[in-house]
Amino acid sequence: MFSRLIGNDVTKLTLRRLIHQDRLPNSLLFIGPDGVGKKQFAIETARTLFCRQRVGDEACGVCSSCVRTGTFSPPTSEKKDDYKRIHFSENPDLGFVVPFKRNILVDAIRVLELEANFNPYEAPARVFIVDDADLMNDAAANALLKTLEEPPVTTHIILVTSRPDVLLPTIHSRCQKIHFAPVERKAIEKYLIEERAFSHDEARLAAGVAHGSIGRAVEIDVGEYRGMRERAVRVLRSALIDGDRAALLKISEELNDAKNADNFEANLGVLESVVRDVWRLACGVETAKLLDPEMADTYLRFAEQAAAARFAEWLGEIEDLRKALSVNINKKVATDSLFLTMAAGKR
Ligand SMILES: [Zn+2]
């Protein structure tokens, strides 16, 4: 049921109304940040369309159609050929295009084109979900254009993406766009406590640093996060207060040793969250509005050490390092350089 999904209440209302009034467009593009539940909304759209005994404008959630529509096991095969087709949920009217190694294969889109023309098996409509639609190359996208332009009346194609700028303008122009926003922190917090057995403290921290992504929030291991945060705090203390370059180089070594290498990006993300909070305090934001309010006292001390502009520069440097990770850089050298730049403004 839409009411069970977290956040994006306006979008929820829009979709329910469109389905209820029988006006759901046949080509849809769901746009929004990662981890806010776009794919869940797409599945719920199919479920509501298919449900045999809707309750108001909601799927009942218990009829055979509802149960089967919501049951989908993504393929785990390593064989390319297995991704040249549509994967169906237990309801043969809901199909998914699944990427192979971060590529949506043109063959899968060709099969989608065929399938889109078939009548529904049992439901009043068929729905095809292309998650991470930005993983279509031009050939795949072009193969989809015709179907998007004139889909059969009983077929709905839902493209889902967090990188809409990567999609061809011709895809955009053929779809009705449905926008998703980051999920409110309070809603994530409530979900973590009620559905994921987080303690209040843990939920507050995870919801704060998840930047509106439920997907990210549920994956945060709070104990591990606090460990990474402790290290990030040492970086700021050494750079801002002690001016201790040797200590910084030692932390850089730690981050890049065999034990921590796999967590390099996660550590960088935590450092970024910490600097972001300090920067916000330096800009005059109230402590209650921090991503991580439990650290307010420590962060206030840091914020007093420099102007907001310096912390903004650090955020830029961290972002540059993050981008550089996609090419094969020497992480140790890059981390040394980041930390020494952070210490350089020390008066
Ligand atoms: Zn139902």
Side-chain angles (χ1 to χ4, degrees):
M1 285 170 282
F2 278 112
S3 55
R4 297 267 304 156
L5 299 175
I6 319 294
N8 281 291
D9 290 338
V10 176
T11 307
K12 226 176 263 180
L13 204 68
T14 308
L15 286 170
R16 280 160 62 167
R17 197 172 291 155
L18 286 170
I19 298 167
H20 190 64
Q21 297 172 346
D22 230 354
R23 292 192 299 123
L24 186 74
N26 297 86
S27 302
L28 289 151
L29 179 55
F30 284 14
I31 297 175
D34 277 326
V36 297
K38 299 183 297 298
K39 189 167 134 198
Q40 288 309 315
F41 273 70
I43 294 170
E44 195 54 38
T45 300
R47 208 133 80 126
T48 313
L49 276 172
F50 299 170
C51 176
R52 292 161 186 173
Q53 46 190 45
R54 271 186 224 161
V55 182
D57 51 8
E58 288 266 41
C60 74
V62 291
C63 72
S64 142
S65 166
C66 277
V67 172
R68 284 179 297 119
T69 305
T71 312
F72 173 62
S73 326
T76 50
S77 156
E78 300 265 311
K79 280 191 295 193
K80 190 173 181 181
D81 280 354
D82 290 338
Y83 297 83
K84 293 182 175 175
R85 61 181 182 87
I86 304 290
H87 296 264
F88 288 92
S89 75
E90 288 188 12
N91 185 332
D93 288 320
L94 172 61
F96 295 82
V97 172
V98 181
F100 174 72
K101 299 195 171 161
R102 313 250 343 125
N103 279 304
I104 291 178
L105 304 179
V106 64
D107 306 75
I109 298 294
R110 295 209 175 101
V111 176
L112 167 61
E113 210 183 341
L114 280 178
E115 289 277 353
N117 285 303
F118 296 160
N119 286 327
Y121 286 97
E122 53 175 84
R126 304 196 88 195
V127 172
F128 297 94
I129 297 175
V130 186
D131 194 15
D132 292 322
D134 45 89
L135 299 180
M136 286 189 288
N137 59 19
D138 284 1
N142 282 318
L144 188 59
L145 285 180
K146 196 171 163 299
T147 316
L148 285 179
E149 177 120 295
E150 294 167 344
V153 283
T154 52
T155 295
H156 299 271
I157 297 172
I158 306 179
L159 308 181
V160 178
T161 184
S162 54
R163 300 189 303 154
D165 45 318
V166 178
L167 287 170
L168 296 177
T170 40
I171 296 271
H172 278 266
S173 64
R174 282 165 174 77
C175 296
Q176 168 137 352
K177 290 171 201 164
I178 304 280
H179 290 274
F180 291 76
V183 179
E184 280 177 25
R185 181 174 175 165
K186 282 280 161 210
I188 298 183
E189 211 175 307
K190 184 164 176 278
Y191 171 76
L192 294 177
I193 294 168
E194 289 174 3
E195 310 281 338
R196 297 282 177 152
F198 276 53
S199 73
H200 283 262
D201 266 6
E202 290 171 346
R204 191 159 170 229
L205 174 59
V209 297
H211 302 284
S213 160
I214 297 187
R216 202 175 304 154
V218 298
E219 279 174 12
I220 290 175
D221 174 329
V222 175
E224 193 178 76
Y225 183 89
R226 287 194 174 119
M228 291 184 186
R229 183 181 67 190
E230 190 269 325
R231 190 181 285 126
V233 164
R234 272 197 280 141
V235 171
L236 269 77
R237 187 175 298 124
S238 305
L240 277 171
I241 297 175
D242 306 337
D244 187 344
R245 288 170 172 74
L248 286 168
L249 294 177
K250 192 159 167 287
I251 303 171
S252 169
E253 206 162 284
E254 233 173 85
L255 284 174
N256 286 285
D257 68 16
K259 207 169 76 211
N260 290 304
D262 287 348
N263 281 330
F264 185 84
E265 248 184 295
N267 270 298
L268 197 62
V270 174
L271 178 65
E272 199 221 314
S273 296
V274 172
V275 175
R276 192 167 290 281
D277 266 352
V278 173
W279 167 69
R280 295 173 81 199
L281 287 171
C283 292
V285 169
E286 301 160 43
T287 51
K289 293 201 173 140
L290 293 181
L291 301 172
D292 186 2
E294 70 183 26
M295 292 296 286
D297 292 347
T298 308
Y299 293 172
L300 270 171
R301 275 216 340 273
F302 292 151
E304 287 161 2
Q305 303 294 321
R310 182 158 164 217
F311 300 118
E313 271 168 36
W314 290 7
L315 289 171
E317 297 280 342
I318 294 170
E319 188 51 38
D320 287 348
L321 173 51
R322 192 198 304 270
K323 280 191 196 135
L325 290 178
S326 57
V327 290
N328 224 352
I329 54 157
N330 182 327
K331 288 184 200 156
K332 171 71 170 62
V333 172
T335 316
D336 287 355
S337 152
L338 168 69
F339 287 177
L340 293 177
T341 309
M342 286 170 72
K346 167 85 182 135
R347 283 158 295 178

